[in-house]
Amino acid sequence: MTVHIDRSLWLPETEYFPGAQNKTGIAIHHTVGGSARSTVRWWRDDDNDTGRRRIVATAYIIDEDGTVFELFDPTAWAYQFGLDWSATARLRFERRFIGIELASQGGLIEENGELYCYDVVSPHTWKPYSEAFHVGRPYRGYQWFDRYETTQLTALGDLVDALCTRFAIPRRYPDAPFDYYGDALADFEGVIGHAMVRSDKSDPAPDPNLWRMLEHLAAVRPAAVTPSGAPNGRRLTSVAIEALFKNNVGRINRMDVAAGSLVKALLMELERRRTYLRLKTPDSGAHAISYEVVKGHRDHVRTLARALGFERVTNGHLEVSHA
């Protein structure tokens, strides 16, 4: 089917990297924002702390009404993943994927029987239940998500179909689309979701209808992906991440309050670098705790713990000063 493309929001060349790249993949995201127009406005105003352009964008945004906006030539590229891989691996991955954003408010929080977007309880962020769907279990910190419109998913399926044909992209996706794969997807060719390579992301939402629509309209099929062979390179499912989080919170709550806060800060910094620890049960009120690395780089633990001011750090032990 021919896809109607709207180029009225085309970005200037300062917002992406022109020049044709070999495209072997498609990545699906959602905006956690308003319309396509407001997202583009955000990207155009997005400077870093030094005033330099971040060059973050995707080639396409699909609005709630199904309008497909092309923002730059899909042979070009911009940063879309925010990976912490080596520079060579990161750039290679970014350049070969065509990004598609779905306009959506993303994950929703529930407070006093009401839903709210953007993690803010306010009359301006209220969301009716009729426009949301319940995952059935926590997924990356959320149980409710903004529901994608059928018009959006139809447009997405048609666009993916057209791009797979144009660029000869394999019509396949990882067979567990709600799991975290990390660098096990470094060489994957096909269709992926942002959350598959970023454990701190929840886009696209864990909606089976999205992948069913892609199967129906773009003939993509699930394909087995072998996780990395290294002990700490294995895939972490969303269920495993949630279980690990609950385990660690229970251990931290047994510690001295200030010491526990510092350990929590360390876990947050490590997660940003895709490194996960499993904490072991400390003594009540303790300033020290033992741990094991579940996934990621052990060196990150020492470096970040020392930077945060831990008194002693070993391969399996963290200690905070009693002062």
Side-chain angles (χ1 to χ4, degrees):
M1 177 179 290
T2 301
V3 180
H4 175 70
I5 300 295
D6 188 318
R7 296 184 174 87
S8 63
L9 299 181
W10 194 267
L11 291 169
E13 288 191 359
T14 53
E15 301 296 324
Y16 63 94
F17 298 101
Q21 303 290 326
N22 182 34
K23 300 297 181 177
T24 59
I26 296 169
I28 302 171
H29 310 251
H30 62 217
T31 60
V32 191
S35 65
R37 191 171 301 277
S38 65
T39 300
V40 170
R41 185 166 56 248
W42 170 263
W43 284 342
R44 293 179 70 137
D45 294 339
D46 186 25
D47 293 342
N48 63 21
D49 294 338
T50 65
R52 298 178 61 185
R53 309 303 301 161
R54 291 185 187 273
I55 321 295
V56 173
T58 55
Y60 296 95
I61 298 182
I62 303 178
D63 242 338
E64 289 187 349
D65 64 1
T67 301
V68 178
F69 291 94
E70 186 177 273
L71 308 182
F72 56 84
D73 191 310
T75 62
W77 71 286
Y79 289 105
Q80 61 178 298
F81 293 109
L83 301 170
D84 66 347
W85 302 354
S86 71
T88 300
R90 183 175 67 249
L91 289 174
R92 178 174 171 270
F93 197 77
E94 293 273 12
R95 287 170 176 163
R96 68 184 183 85
F97 274 88
I98 300 169
I100 303 173
E101 294 269 6
L102 295 170
S104 171
Q105 292 166 338
L108 308 171
I109 60 173
E110 191 173 26
E111 186 75 21
N112 296 323
E114 301 288 352
L115 295 178
Y116 300 89
C117 56
Y118 314 136
D119 293 341
V120 175
V121 177
S122 161
H124 302 292
T125 60
W126 176 78
K127 185 78 174 177
Y129 280 94
S130 60
E131 297 178 7
F133 76 93
H134 190 262
V135 179
R137 56 175 174 76
Y139 178 77
R140 308 295 173 89
Y142 298 99
Q143 296 196 54
W144 289 91
F145 281 82
D146 185 10
R147 180 184 291 114
Y148 300 133
E149 300 295 333
T150 302
T151 49
Q152 278 183 298
L153 296 184
T154 300
L156 174 66
D158 291 339
L159 178 59
V160 168
D161 180 51
L163 293 173
C164 285
T165 297
R166 175 180 172 184
F167 295 97
I169 294 170
R171 295 175 184 267
R172 60 180 189 151
Y173 66 91
D175 60 352
F178 311 135
D179 285 358
Y180 167 67
Y181 292 85
D183 59 9
L185 294 180
D187 296 317
F188 182 81
E189 297 183 355
V191 184
I192 68 169
H194 194 188
M196 294 180 189
V197 291
R198 285 278 300 272
S199 61
D200 58 334
K201 294 294 183 179
S202 59
D203 60 319
D207 184 355
N209 290 326
L210 184 153
W211 299 99
R212 292 191 193 109
M213 188 68 81
L214 291 180
E215 289 185 4
H216 175 62
L217 295 177
V220 298
R221 295 292 180 262
V225 176
T226 303
S228 301
N232 288 334
R234 63 182 181 272
R235 188 178 80 203
L236 278 182
T237 68
S238 58
V239 173
I241 291 173
E242 293 292 340
L244 191 62
F245 173 79
K246 290 179 180 178
N247 168 83
N248 289 341
V249 168
R251 306 302 190 265
I252 288 172
N253 287 342
R254 289 180 56 88
M255 298 182 70
D256 170 83
V257 174
S261 295
L262 195 59
V263 172
K264 183 177 180 180
L266 173 63
L267 294 183
M268 293 173 64
E269 290 298 324
L270 288 170
E271 184 172 343
R272 293 190 182 113
R273 293 158 176 82
R274 319 298 177 262
T275 295
Y276 296 85
L277 306 185
R278 177 178 289 108
L279 302 179
K280 300 180 181 180
T281 304
D283 294 333
S284 180
H287 285 72
I289 192 166
S290 297
Y291 71 90
E292 63 175 325
V293 178
V294 176
K295 185 182 191 304
H297 302 283
R298 186 175 296 278
D299 289 346
H300 287 167
V301 182
R302 288 177 173 271
T303 302
L304 290 171
R306 287 168 178 164
L308 289 170
F310 280 73
E311 182 174 280
R312 191 163 70 92
V313 185
T314 70
N315 283 339
H317 189 78
L318 299 167
E319 186 174 335
V320 180
S321 171
H322 283 66

